[in-house]
Amino acid sequence: MKTFGWLGGVALLLFLAGCRYTFLPLDPGKPLPPERPFVVARLEKGAEEAILVLRVERLPSPGYLHLKWFREEALLQEKTLFLEEVGSYRVSFPLSQGYHRLVGLWVEGVLFQLDLGMPRLPDPDEEEKKGNGQEG
């Protein structure tokens, strides 16, 4: 009789393992919304300035968006934009020759990065002639 009960328990476990929903509770509920905003950002190039066009689609709570404007590796300008609600925002930055990069930070995490121009990359032939610090 004990073996019949034991075999019945094993059969029940195998049956439950074959079921599609084997977790409890069967309805895990709605997931929590993300804690960071969802934005659509683009840079428009003007004659003497670059304009950030920012559209905020989702904003869990009001807060500051820190904007850092770089030319090559040098930080040119920092701006802070207070986002209160869903909507559109425009911010301008000075533009000159060369490669520019805009980084948007939300609670010290990078939210987006936009580039204008082409970065200066080292010439691979020059690096090969220098030896790149390796001994052969």
Side-chain angles (χ1 to χ4, degrees):
M1 191 67 157
K2 281 187 175 182
T3 44
F4 180 71
W6 186 79
L7 287 174
V10 169
L12 180 65
L13 284 176
L14 288 174
F15 174 74
L16 289 177
C19 290
R20 185 171 179 190
Y21 300 106
T22 56
F23 55 87
L24 293 175
L26 296 179
D27 180 14
K30 187 177 179 181
L32 295 174
E35 294 183 15
R36 58 187 247 160
F38 177 73
V39 299
V40 177
R42 75 174 189 271
L43 275 176
E44 293 179 352
K45 188 176 182 180
E48 294 182 6
E49 66 181 7
I51 299 170
L52 167 68
V53 179
L54 182 73
R55 191 175 75 233
V56 179
E57 300 279 330
R58 180 186 64 229
L59 189 64
S61 64
Y64 289 97
L65 176 66
H66 299 278
L67 301 170
K68 295 188 178 206
W69 181 244
F70 294 89
R71 180 172 182 264
E72 302 295 338
E73 298 89 26
L75 177 64
L76 292 181
Q77 198 171 36
E78 288 185 73
K79 291 186 177 183
T80 303
L81 188 62
F82 185 70
L83 303 180
E84 260 185 300
E85 58 190 23
V86 172
S88 296
Y89 300 87
R90 293 175 69 89
V91 183
S92 63
F93 296 94
L95 185 62
S96 58
Q97 292 291 340
Y99 171 67
H100 290 79
R101 182 176 71 242
L102 177 67
V103 179
L105 302 167
W106 181 264
V107 192
E108 297 305 318
V110 176
L111 189 59
F112 62 85
Q113 175 179 323
L114 303 171
D115 300 326
L116 276 179
M118 293 293 292
R120 281 187 303 175
L121 298 174
D123 186 12
D125 295 331
E126 283 288 320
E127 291 292 321
E128 197 172 289
K129 289 176 188 174
K130 289 181 184 176
N132 215 5
Q134 299 175 359
E135 294 182 27

